[in-house]
Amino acid sequence: MAEAVLAVYRGDRESGKPVEYKVPLAPGMVVLDALHYIQGHLSPDLAVRWNCKAGRCGSCSAEVNGRPRLTCKTRMDSLPLESPITISPLRAFPVIKDLVTDVSWNYQVNKKIPAFTPRPGVQWKMFQKDVDRPQEFRKCIECFLCQNVCHVLRDHGKHAQYGGPRFFVRVAGLEMHPLDGVSRAKLLKEQLGLGFCNITKCCTEVCPESIHITDNAIIPLKERIVDKYYDPLFWIVRKITKTGGS
Amino acid sequence: MTEKFETHEHDVLIIGAGGAGLRAAVEALNQGASVGVVCKSLLGKAHTVMAEGGIAAAMGNVDAADDWKTHFRDTMRGGKLLNNWRMAQLHAQEAPNAVRELEQWGALFDRTDSGEIMQRAFGGHTFKRLCHVGDRTGLEIIRTLQDRGVQLGIDVYMECTVTRLLLDGGRIAGAFAYWREQGRFVVFKAKSIVIATGGVGKAWKVTSNSWEYTGDGMALAYEAGAELMDLEFVQFHPTGMVWPPGVQGILVTEAVRGEGGILRNKLGERFMEKYDPKKLELSTRDVVARSIYTEVREGRGTEHGGAYLDISHKPAEYVKRKLPGMYHQFKELADVDITKGPMEVGPTFHYTIGGIRVEAETGAATVPGLFAAGEAAAGMHGANRLGGNSLSDLLVFGRRAGLAAAAHAKKTSAPAIDSKQVEDAEREMLAPFEHRGGPNPYEIHRELQDTLQSLVGIFRNEEDLKRALAEIQRLKERAANVSVEGSRLFNPGWHLARDLKSMLTIAEAVTRCALERKESRGAHSRIDFPEYDPVWAKKNNIIIRDGAGMALRQRPVPEMPEELKQVLAEDK
């Protein structure tokens, strides 16, 4: 039977290294199947996060040959088998063990975002053309691959001042909800650091749900901030009302 | 004694963070209770996220003639009248409001031309009734509830697993759990506990269920003395993927048939004409699963042992818009373009219909302070669940359980934690590290999956079930000596060692109930008793712990009031 060799990162917060495992191949096999084979037959304490194994929950993110992927959707027959396939944990978050990283920071960021707030007296009627845009953002399965490849987090470690593409997508979904009544522009500018994003589109490239993160979420949000804070007309109006009030 | 462990205290502790658990949490928070949610995975990854086709609610947005009575009738008929009638009634009456609530919390369902929530056809439902978002309805629901919970300040203990319920006398006092990350133990003190842990699908080999689905909540309740009910009824979804082997069992949503998909055998025959000429592909799941299985067994299956499911007669753009998940799933995992050709599908374990016996109004189990909702609870779906009725079940009964759990906590004094129970729970968790040279938990899990798959499947008989019971007994003995490698740090082998205990307990309960019910009804088909039996029509199987052993008895199915009997008799 044909075999593949996987070089899987084994280790914890302190130290670790790739360890090679030989895995028999089967038709249609995905990388997560190979990891399960290792758990079931070779190393029962290999730590891997996964849930649905159907590309719907976003748990099994890892870097396969250096590329951020959902391991449940990465076919073994799409990878070159001449050399070992490297499987490493996401790089933007601290390792807990093996392929499992500490993603709790994302849940902290999420708490900063004001929830959907319907406009007062709103009619609960919406048309498909009005929900098409926010529905795209609500496809997000929170795999955090976009967070993992964003330079601001991955290379510059600005976790404290920045929200990352996942949360720009979430905010876009709320801001573009046809019945929502609050503005999150201040939050985007001051707490989620949208200005750090220099639209390199790395996030869009890795999104397993094919959400147009940069074009449809980030750029329109950047425009909203410009309108609110940097539009000269608005600036004068703000200045006047502020003066008038003091 | 408990000072030794990290301890948290809540009025209401909810185990499980899927639709039922989160809806219960939101409601208990609304009542002013202090609420903790414990979940095995990260928040937002629970099984609800995999629900695809939609949520059933008689809103009448597409078919104006729909009403709760029709939904009630469909549910009872689909469940072969074994349902708890009161649950089916509450569910049908409250589901539309449960959907509206989601919309008010930010959910964005697909829309009709007049701006209402869109509804689609599904098996066993008289009218177009399933509110949906393409084929990712579950994701929309879990995200909406998650956001609502976060907004209300919910405390979530993620990647934390409850291994035992703690009792004070006969009532709930709390739970013993462990953090996956470091393997540390933790004690929760709580006046009320809501179990919302889903089913036991991972005990079968071909399943649409995730690793979390190991029957934990049912087994915890059983260990604490609660009654389980109707466990012989497990739902095999008619359409899972069958090829390639790595994806076997992954769900193919019923929405494919709801949108007009046709089933054919390898001879090209539309075989549902033979099994249910009236409803065809939109017959109930038990019937469609048996039909596909029979076609395959009689030699008319596809190359890889399934049936063809074809939606390619619909315009490609329509298929991609209404079934985007299916389009990508087949394209990426099976190299099949479903807009051009048929899918190969076959039955896959999907849903545990039985579970913890609860009161209809409150979700109260038979242990004071213990509640259950969603798939972990029994009664709502009778002998067979209709597609789409599970998401509405989660919301309707999650809300009711949260309400009742908060009310119970309000009128109850603080329970005491018994240090002996805590020590026992700790000892049990540490034992696999002390056994040396014992069996590997993965090996036992594979054997259990093979056993249940071949002996406790769609069609059953006495001989197979007796063999299964003997095999489960043998596996239980081996599991008692299971040993694990490595440290307590995020160790899946260690985790599985504990999950095995739950799976084996519930597998035994399923098998015992299946052996006892000597008739065929809904999802339970006995080759040796192929007909309905009017005596069994009036009985629910009950499982309860009896010392170290498992006792089986029956309770009469609750009698329906006259006015509902009339609703049921109306022919629409």
Side-chain angles (χ1 to χ4, degrees):
Chain A
M1 196 191 286
E3 281 183 338
V5 177
L6 270 69
V8 183
Y9 178 88
R10 301 300 306 266
D12 54 25
R13 260 177 231 263
E14 271 83 56
S15 64
K17 60 176 193 316
V19 175
E20 293 192 1
Y21 300 94
K22 264 190 202 157
V23 174
L25 290 170
M29 189 172 180
V30 294
V31 170
L32 185 58
D33 290 320
L35 296 171
H36 283 163
Y37 181 88
I38 296 170
Q39 280 185 329
H41 298 88
L42 306 171
S43 183
D45 65 340
L46 170 66
V48 181
R49 267 201 195 103
W50 71 285
N51 279 67
C52 75
K53 207 177 109 51
R56 292 187 168 257
C57 76
S59 301
C60 63
S61 306
E63 299 194 358
V64 178
N65 283 343
R67 288 188 59 82
R69 306 293 298 262
L70 288 181
T71 58
C72 75
K73 280 175 84 179
T74 307
R75 295 255 300 249
M76 293 293 283
D77 57 17
S78 72
L79 302 166
L81 298 177
E82 305 81 61
S83 49
I85 299 163
T86 63
I87 319 281
S88 335
L90 297 184
R91 229 178 71 189
F93 305 108
V95 171
I96 291 173
K97 184 181 157 194
D98 305 337
L99 300 177
V100 174
T101 56
D102 180 355
V103 293
S104 57
W105 169 80
N106 292 285
Y107 291 87
Q108 298 307 319
V109 175
N110 188 47
K111 284 186 186 171
K112 295 180 188 170
I113 302 173
F116 167 68
T117 312
R119 288 194 299 275
V122 76
Q123 289 286 311
W124 293 98
K125 220 175 227 298
M126 289 176 264
F127 294 92
Q128 190 61 44
K129 64 176 171 33
D130 301 320
V131 301
D132 276 342
R133 280 180 89 193
Q135 275 187 337
E136 180 190 6
F137 307 130
R138 296 182 68 88
K139 289 195 307 189
C140 170
I141 56 174
E142 296 202 321
C143 64
F144 304 133
L145 290 178
C146 59
Q147 306 287 70
N148 182 54
V149 295
C150 179
H151 310 291
V152 183
L153 298 169
R154 189 183 178 99
D155 301 324
H156 305 291
K158 291 207 180 293
H159 294 68
Q161 300 121 286
Y162 188 64
R166 157 57 190 140
F167 296 104
F168 301 142
V169 163
R170 169 149 152 69
V171 171
L174 291 162
E175 290 283 289
M176 294 180 206
H177 189 300
L179 307 181
D180 182 71
V182 300
S183 166
R184 295 163 190 82
K186 189 165 187 265
L187 173 91
L188 282 168
K189 181 172 181 284
E190 292 174 8
Q191 291 191 58
L192 300 185
L194 183 65
F196 285 115
C197 166
N198 55 1
I199 48 176
T200 51
K201 295 201 177 185
C202 307
C203 50
T204 304
E205 274 171 36
V206 298
C207 179
E209 290 295 308
S210 307
I211 300 171
H212 299 87
I213 302 174
T214 316
D215 291 346
N216 291 356
I218 293 179
I219 293 175
L221 290 178
K222 278 179 176 277
E223 285 166 356
R224 282 181 192 216
I225 292 187
V226 170
D227 286 348
K228 187 170 162 69
Y229 290 94
Y230 305 106
D231 183 294
L233 202 70
F234 274 95
W235 185 82
I236 292 167
V237 171
R238 260 209 323 275
K239 195 86 180 165
I240 293 168
T241 46
K242 205 177 164 190
T243 317
S246 60
Chain B
M1 195 59 196
T2 55
E3 297 85 57
K4 179 173 159 193
F5 300 106
E6 174 188 344
T7 301
H8 299 275
E9 192 166 348
H10 291 284
D11 295 328
V12 177
L13 185 73
I14 290 163
I15 309 176
L22 290 174
R23 187 63 190 83
V26 166
E27 202 56 30
L29 283 163
N30 284 341
Q31 299 305 309
S34 136
V35 179
V37 176
V38 189
C39 52
K40 266 162 91 164
S41 291
L42 296 173
L43 184 60
K45 310 297 184 192
H47 217 282
T48 304
V49 87
M50 292 176 74
E52 294 170 350
I55 174 166
M59 307 186 79
N61 293 349
V62 176
D63 290 330
D66 202 7
D67 61 0
W68 77 262
K69 288 178 181 170
T70 314
H71 193 181
F72 168 76
R73 188 164 50 237
D74 289 344
T75 300
M76 292 297 296
R77 285 184 184 171
K80 314 298 169 203
L81 308 188
L82 208 66
N83 324 52
N84 177 314
W85 63 266
R86 181 65 177 149
M87 288 175 91
Q89 181 190 24
L90 289 169
H91 167 260
Q93 289 172 332
E94 295 177 5
N97 203 43
V99 173
R100 275 180 221 116
E101 246 171 8
L102 286 179
E103 183 163 82
Q104 285 155 16
W105 297 339
L108 285 171
F109 290 97
D110 287 354
R111 317 305 298 185
T112 65
D113 288 343
S114 58
E116 309 293 332
I117 293 174
M118 181 64 134
Q119 301 188 274
R120 67 160 51 115
F122 237 60
H125 292 280
T126 303
F127 295 113
K128 288 187 174 159
R129 189 176 284 149
L130 267 74
C131 308
H132 60 273
V133 188
D135 55 8
R136 58 160 190 87
T137 314
L139 174 66
E140 188 68 15
I141 290 179
I142 204 164
R143 209 60 92 224
T144 303
L145 290 170
Q146 185 183 339
D147 293 346
R148 182 72 181 170
V150 167
Q151 185 189 9
L152 295 173
I154 193 174
D155 280 318
V156 187
Y157 303 88
M158 295 197 287
E159 296 191 318
C160 187
T161 302
V162 172
T163 70
R164 185 174 298 211
L165 300 183
L166 304 172
L167 298 174
D168 177 0
R171 67 179 175 128
I172 284 295
F176 183 85
Y178 95 98
W179 289 108
R180 218 157 140 73
E181 180 172 337
Q182 298 297 332
R184 278 180 295 110
F185 297 125
V186 52
V187 171
F188 291 97
K189 288 170 88 167
K191 295 176 192 167
S192 304
I193 287 184
V194 180
I195 290 184
T197 49
V200 69
K202 213 54 197 169
W204 273 255
K205 187 175 174 186
V206 178
T207 175
S208 66
N209 289 177
S210 80
W211 75 271
E212 294 197 293
Y213 261 44
T214 51
D216 305 355
M218 295 174 188
L220 290 171
Y222 165 83
E223 292 292 333
E227 289 183 14
L228 307 180
M229 187 173 90
D230 288 346
L231 278 166
E232 63 272 39
F233 300 104
V234 299
Q235 177 165 75
F236 290 87
H237 195 290
T239 61
M241 292 177 82
V242 296
W243 183 260
V247 301
Q248 202 183 16
I250 293 182
L251 186 64
V252 177
T253 175
E254 187 167 329
V256 176
R257 286 173 284 139
E259 297 290 350
I262 291 168
L263 285 165
R264 289 198 179 84
N265 61 21
K266 77 167 176 197
L267 306 172
E269 294 162 335
R270 189 175 183 182
F271 55 83
M272 286 311 297
E273 286 172 348
K274 196 165 54 186
Y275 300 98
D276 188 345
K278 203 169 153 213
K279 296 192 199 128
L280 297 165
E281 282 80 6
L282 291 181
S283 184
T284 51
R285 287 179 173 175
D286 52 341
V287 175
V288 182
R290 271 196 299 274
S291 305
I292 295 176
Y293 187 91
T294 304
E295 288 298 304
V296 175
R297 197 180 46 184
E298 293 177 357
R300 295 183 296 278
T302 61
E303 187 188 350
H304 302 109
Y308 291 118
L309 173 60
D310 196 357
I311 186 82
S312 63
H313 52 280
K314 293 273 178 186
E317 278 320 303
Y318 181 81
V319 172
K320 286 187 202 170
R321 184 160 50 86
K322 296 308 279 186
L323 303 163
M326 291 302 109
Y327 173 74
H328 289 289
Q329 184 172 308
F330 274 90
K331 193 133 188 130
E332 288 162 31
L333 299 176
D335 301 321
V336 170
D337 182 344
I338 67 167
T339 67
K340 297 205 171 80
M343 305 159 237
E344 266 187 277
V345 296
T348 180
F349 188 110
H350 188 53
Y351 188 88
T352 312
I353 297 170
I356 300 164
R357 189 170 87 85
V358 293
E359 265 180 23
E361 267 86 1
T362 59
T366 47
V367 171
L370 188 64
F371 301 80
E375 190 174 350
M380 163 63 205
H381 307 288
N384 171 63
R385 177 175 74 81
L386 297 185
N389 269 2
S390 157
L391 291 177
S392 37
D393 169 8
L394 302 180
L395 299 177
V396 167
F397 294 104
R399 187 186 74 83
R400 286 182 161 271
L403 203 62
H408 175 86
K410 248 180 220 166
K411 60 170 205 238
T412 309
S413 59
I417 299 284
D418 170 12
S419 57
K420 189 180 166 299
Q421 292 174 37
V422 174
E423 284 164 34
D424 278 353
E426 183 190 25
R427 199 172 314 122
E428 179 190 57
M429 282 306 288
L430 293 177
F433 288 107
E434 281 145 25
H435 303 147
R436 287 285 149 221
N440 171 333
Y442 287 94
E443 208 176 284
I444 298 179
H445 188 200
R446 283 194 291 271
E447 285 178 39
L448 176 64
Q449 288 180 319
D450 287 339
T451 301
L452 296 177
Q453 192 69 33
S454 59
L455 302 177
V456 195
I458 294 182
F459 286 101
R460 299 151 174 191
N461 66 58
E462 181 169 321
E463 191 196 335
D464 284 357
L465 293 168
K466 283 189 167 160
R467 273 176 56 208
L469 214 48
E471 188 59 20
I472 291 166
Q473 194 49 44
R474 193 181 67 80
L475 291 172
K476 272 167 78 176
E477 284 157 23
R478 292 183 62 207
N481 293 311
V482 77
S483 62
V484 298
E485 289 175 25
S487 73
R488 284 164 64 174
L489 185 75
F490 212 112
N491 187 335
W494 182 35
H495 192 103
L496 181 59
R498 178 60 188 76
D499 280 351
L500 267 182
K501 188 183 168 199
S502 301
M503 280 190 276
L504 285 161
T505 301
I506 303 306
E508 180 183 345
V510 169
T511 310
R512 284 190 187 281
C513 289
L515 194 55
E516 189 71 12
R517 183 173 286 275
K518 294 179 177 59
E519 65 155 355
S520 290
R521 178 179 302 273
H524 174 67
S525 302
R526 287 280 300 256
I527 294 171
D528 43 355
F529 299 96
E531 305 295 330
Y532 282 132
D533 178 340
V535 177
W536 273 106
K538 298 191 177 311
K539 293 196 278 190
N540 294 114
N541 270 325
I542 300 289
I543 290 280
I544 188 160
R545 191 164 59 84
D546 181 11
M550 191 175 272
L552 174 64
R553 55 182 75 136
Q554 284 83 39
R555 281 182 177 275
V557 173
E559 180 82 12
M560 205 185 301
E562 208 47 48
E563 68 265 26
L564 288 180
K565 281 185 184 162
Q566 282 171 19
V567 169
L568 203 59
E570 281 170 38
D571 207 15
K572 271 199 190 170

